[in-house]
Amino acid sequence: MRNPIEVYGVDVDQESRCTHYHSQVDIVALKFRCCRKFYACYQCHQETTDHPPEKWPLDERDHHAILCGHCRKTMSIDEYMNVNECPHCQHAFNAGCKNHYPLYFDME
Ligand SMILES: [Zn+2]
Ligand SMILES: [Zn+2]
Ligand SMILES: [Zn+2]
């Protein structure tokens, strides 16, 4: 059964790829703290809202803010930062996403 979590953004496909990030491994969607909605990427959030993104503070890294677009299951920020593939379905994640952590999460 498919999880009904909706992913917002620009040209979002079935596996949460978007117009900005659409390689085979770009399947992760992130929930933004400000709107409590999942977006395919930070650019999608920027282009479809009128407010600056709110990052997840260090003490909220147990929040399930990450969605695998392949199996539609969620994981905590902590969990996500420690894997290179989905812990549920083993679909590979884009390793380049690690460079974007500071856009979504407070780092220190
Ligand atoms: Zn927002
Ligand atoms: Zn996007
Ligand atoms: Zn998965």
Side-chain angles (χ1 to χ4, degrees):
M1 205 170 78
R2 266 183 118 65
N3 191 320
I5 292 175
E6 190 163 355
V7 176
Y8 295 83
V10 184
D11 290 335
V12 179
D13 79 2
Q14 292 287 348
E15 298 197 313
S16 96
R17 296 181 188 88
C18 64
T19 192
H20 316 102
Y21 296 96
H22 43 72
S23 81
Q24 204 260 334
V25 290
D26 287 312
I27 54 163
V28 167
L30 298 101
K31 193 197 262 186
F32 280 77
R33 195 166 184 270
C34 40
C35 6
R36 304 268 159 179
K37 284 184 201 163
F38 283 91
Y39 286 88
C41 80
Y42 66 98
Q43 287 182 63
C44 282
H45 178 272
Q46 195 172 1
E47 287 175 26
T48 58
T49 62
D50 53 9
H51 58 261
E54 203 177 306
K55 292 188 246 180
W56 293 95
L58 277 179
D59 61 359
E60 289 183 23
R61 285 206 180 161
D62 57 343
H63 193 91
H64 276 231
I66 316 295
L67 174 79
C68 170
H70 188 67
C71 67
R72 314 297 286 191
K73 289 190 177 140
T74 60
M75 69 208 82
S76 68
I77 298 163
D78 254 339
E79 210 172 354
Y80 172 60
M81 286 177 142
N82 285 300
V83 295
N84 296 312
E85 57 178 31
C86 176
H88 306 293
C89 72
Q90 277 73 53
H91 194 298
F93 291 157
N94 189 344
C97 289
K98 294 197 189 301
N99 301 325
H100 295 149
Y101 284 174
L103 294 165
Y104 303 97
F105 318 124
D106 279 340
M107 297 309 285
E108 294 305 331

